[in-house]
Amino acid sequence: VLTASTKMAKAGLTDTAVATDAITTILNSYNLSAEKASDVSDLLFTIVKKGKTTMGELAPTIGRVGALGASAGLSLEEMGASLASMTASGLKTEEAVTALRGILTTFLSPTEEAVKVAQKLGFELNSNTLKTMGLIGVMEKLQGASKEEVAAIFSNVRALAGMSTMLQNVTKYKQNLTAMTQRAGATEEANKEIVNSTKVAFD
């Protein structure tokens, strides 16, 4: 974990303690072994690369959604794709994390109206849906929904803002999701970019 955190901090231009906290929070939330530390680091760097955020902004905030995401049945890959998509579309990192928390809460504790509208559109508002269909499956169902129906499901203002942002470009979300599944080596790539940019600046 310390080795992965040190590499992440160096490539992400952030503090090692912050990097360690981010990695261990995800490991603990998703009940992953320490051997997965580098993989988590790769995930975080892929979010930074595909989104519009920095490691300095992402690392201190990712913990706010880690445990909730795990309990709601959201995969690490979809967590990454969601944050990348929302920040790339203009939401600040903290806003994206808050929005994702709101979206997840909708599945864990939906209103009666939200449940009815979701059923009408062909899906259930529960953690099993996130485990089986994933957010991408839900978004595909919502593409044919009206703005009023989407608002009825995601009554939380921040959750609605986040989901509406992702629904504007589902294709991009799918691309980001693919990138998350192919994240291996993202930390090393970021390290090389830092080294190269340093050489250019020095020259």
Side-chain angles (χ1 to χ4, degrees):
V1 172
L2 182 58
T3 299
S5 299
T6 302
K7 288 182 179 180
M8 177 177 146
K10 179 181 177 182
L13 301 178
T14 189
D15 187 82
T16 302
V18 173
T20 302
D21 184 59
I23 290 176
T24 53
T25 295
I26 297 300
L27 290 176
N28 293 334
S29 296
Y30 281 83
N31 196 28
L32 301 173
S33 65
E35 285 74 18
K36 292 290 184 179
S38 294
D39 182 56
V40 172
S41 177
D42 286 341
L43 177 82
L44 296 174
F45 272 109
T46 304
I47 296 173
V48 171
K49 183 177 180 180
K50 294 298 178 180
K52 191 177 181 181
T53 183
T54 65
M55 190 58 72
E57 294 170 334
L58 180 64
T61 58
I62 191 73
R64 290 177 49 212
V65 74
L68 186 62
S71 64
L74 187 71
S75 69
L76 277 174
E77 290 76 17
E78 286 218 281
M79 179 194 296
S82 298
L83 295 176
S85 297
M86 285 190 275
T87 56
S89 296
L91 290 185
K92 293 181 179 179
T93 307
E94 286 191 8
E95 293 173 339
V97 168
T98 301
L100 185 53
R101 283 179 57 85
I103 291 170
L104 295 174
T105 301
T106 298
F107 284 87
L108 294 172
S109 183
T111 64
E112 289 186 16
E113 181 183 9
V115 170
K116 291 179 181 178
V117 176
Q119 289 176 337
K120 176 184 173 183
L121 294 172
F123 66 95
E124 301 290 331
L125 279 176
N126 53 44
S127 60
N128 189 56
T129 294
L130 291 178
K131 292 175 182 177
T132 55
M133 291 174 54
L135 273 181
I136 184 59
V138 171
M139 284 190 277
E140 288 173 344
K141 296 284 186 181
L142 290 174
Q143 284 191 287
S146 67
K147 292 181 180 179
E148 289 75 18
E149 288 174 324
V150 175
I153 296 173
F154 300 97
S155 54
N156 177 284
V157 176
R158 292 182 175 83
L160 179 59
M163 180 54 72
S164 297
T165 296
M166 291 191 289
L167 284 173
Q168 289 173 5
N169 198 338
V170 176
T171 298
K172 186 63 177 178
Y173 181 92
K174 290 180 180 179
Q175 292 172 350
N176 288 335
L177 185 56
T178 297
M180 298 303 152
T181 62
Q182 300 173 351
R183 61 185 179 269
T187 304
E188 291 299 331
E189 183 180 339
N191 264 304
K192 289 178 182 178
E193 291 176 358
I194 289 293
V195 172
N196 291 335
S197 62
T198 302
K199 286 182 178 178
V200 171
F202 182 77
D203 291 342

